[in-house]
Amino acid sequence: MDDMNESERGGVGRILTESGFRIKKHLGQNFLTDKNILDKIVKAAGITPQTGVIEVGPGLGSLTIPLAAAAKTVLAYEIDAELMPILAETLKSSPNVILLNRDILKADIDQDVRTLLKDCTEIVVAANLPYYITTPILMRFLETSKSVSRLVLMMQGEVAMRVSSEPDTKDYNALTVAIRYRASVKHLFKVPRTVFVPQPNVDSAVVMVSVDPKPVCPAKDEAFFFEMVHRCFSQRRKTILNNIRDAYTEKTRDEWSAILREVGIDPSCRAETLSVADFVRLSDRLTMNGVER
Ligand code: SAM
């Protein structure tokens, strides 16, 4: 258990010592030890006694316990089967926790919500994410789950900056646009690496993702929209004109310039300066005229 100081690490240290559990770094197991930060996450999530909470990766249960104290029900997905008996013991005084030994990326979340959280008035996701799959988890909730109203997520500081960034900043990229298409994101607070066991190599941050029930600015063909956005950012330093020409080669430079101007985009600008609405106008214009995929 590397350089852990028992008094600082509190319950996490005791559970690890007593259970003999060996931490699996490849599953992103960095356990949170600071009670103030756990309480801040629960408070930020705005949980009421009617709320159903989905937790990704309960680990040793440090966040699960305060979530369960505030919520109606907590539905916790943990991929590591070896944590199941430890969690059953840690959570024995939290009868409103439903533990599923399942990969969150393969779970049918909407179906689970319908059957297991049916008495809850709203669904909130709260998690200290396994960092190796931060983006797929976020996109899975935004693209496939229709039931979640907001997500309070701990992630790497650098990814938190990216997902909460504004157009025309260095952090703004295709992921930011994909998230902003369905949600608004707020950077809440930073978390130092020293409050985890084992310590990760980077500091973390907690963000609030508020999901729009429907996209504010919907694209006619969403699959094309997401793919086009990725292509527009494929070479960050190139202009939007050059990126779009490289992506869809069947038109001349002049034809592409005319199309971009027609939808109100300056052909000499870069993708990082464009808003979600700009990308949606371009995507709708291209799908209307049947650009090759
Ligand atoms: N919530 C605990 C805490 O704050 O101390 C643990 C957080 S730890 C950063 C991430 C947890 O996610 C680990 O328990 C890990 O086993 C689990 N995990 C990793 N990949 C997962 C997946 N695909 N589906 C569900 N849980 C996963």
Side-chain angles (χ1 to χ4, degrees):
M1 245 183 302
D2 33 33
D3 55 351
M4 189 158 54
N5 169 330
E6 185 66 30
S7 65
E8 278 173 20
R9 307 310 177 149
V12 167
R14 188 181 41 75
I15 296 169
L16 288 173
T17 310
E18 286 174 3
S19 65
F21 177 77
R22 293 182 69 81
I23 289 168
K24 301 180 186 72
K25 287 194 177 170
H26 71 279
L27 289 180
Q29 291 178 347
N30 298 99
F31 301 117
L32 191 51
T33 60
D34 188 307
K35 187 170 178 326
N36 284 333
I37 291 171
L38 292 163
D39 290 343
K40 272 173 88 172
I41 294 173
V42 176
K43 196 162 172 229
I47 298 165
T48 75
Q50 281 72 48
T51 307
V53 176
I54 297 177
E55 188 188 6
V56 181
L60 301 172
S62 320
L63 179 60
T64 324
I65 293 173
L67 287 172
K72 185 171 181 75
T73 309
V74 177
L75 176 59
Y77 295 89
E78 174 55 64
I79 198 170
D80 187 352
E82 280 183 52
L83 284 169
M84 290 294 124
I86 301 173
L87 279 165
E89 177 63 25
T90 317
L91 299 172
K92 64 178 181 228
S93 304
S94 306
N96 57 338
V97 177
I98 302 169
L99 264 181
L100 297 179
N101 180 203
R102 223 168 272 170
D103 180 344
I104 189 70
L105 297 179
K106 295 189 179 143
D108 186 341
I109 301 167
D110 281 332
Q111 173 64 20
D112 292 342
V113 167
R114 273 196 297 278
T115 53
L116 302 170
L117 299 179
K118 59 177 180 303
D119 299 335
C120 302
T121 52
E122 62 164 0
I123 307 297
V124 172
V125 178
N128 169 18
L129 290 178
Y131 291 170
Y132 73 107
I133 44 171
T134 300
T135 304
I137 292 176
L138 193 46
M139 291 318 292
R140 185 164 173 83
F141 277 109
L142 289 178
E143 283 173 1
T144 66
S145 175
K146 303 282 173 273
S147 41
V148 170
S149 10
R150 58 187 177 280
L151 305 91
V152 177
L153 303 173
M154 170 113 72
M155 56 184 71
Q156 305 95 309
E158 168 198 324
V159 181
M161 292 305 288
R162 200 170 301 143
V163 299
S164 59
S165 65
E166 296 293 327
D168 223 353
T169 60
K170 72 173 172 42
D171 293 312
Y172 189 77
N173 69 1
L175 172 64
T176 326
V177 177
I179 292 167
R180 278 172 169 254
Y181 179 73
R182 282 298 312 277
S184 54
V185 184
K186 201 167 159 217
H187 190 288
L188 296 182
F189 54 91
K190 292 183 182 170
V191 180
R193 67 193 78 181
T194 49
V195 299
F196 298 91
V197 170
Q199 252 189 54
N201 296 328
V202 292
D203 291 326
S204 298
V206 175
V207 301
M208 161 79 83
V209 180
S210 307
V211 184
D212 300 320
K214 282 190 186 145
V216 176
C217 195
K220 291 202 178 90
D221 181 338
E222 289 192 351
F224 179 81
F225 167 79
F226 288 118
E227 186 209 276
M228 185 204 77
V229 169
H230 275 280
R231 288 177 173 220
C232 288
F233 278 94
S234 62
Q235 299 220 42
R236 252 192 112 79
R237 303 205 61 75
K238 281 193 175 180
T239 62
I240 184 76
L241 173 60
N242 285 338
N243 270 325
I244 202 96
R245 263 194 80 206
D246 288 352
Y248 307 103
T249 49
E250 76 282 12
K251 288 191 192 339
T252 66
R253 201 179 163 78
D254 285 348
E255 284 169 336
W256 274 119
S257 289
I259 289 176
L260 288 165
R261 286 211 180 83
E262 194 187 311
V263 295
I265 296 173
D266 175 356
S268 66
C269 76
R270 294 193 184 138
E272 68 203 43
T273 64
L274 300 179
S275 67
V276 172
D278 292 329
F279 284 113
V280 168
R281 283 199 312 281
L282 181 57
S283 162
D284 284 356
R285 170 68 178 76
L286 300 189
T287 43
M288 189 173 75
N289 285 281
V291 163
E292 295 269 307
R293 303 244 177 124

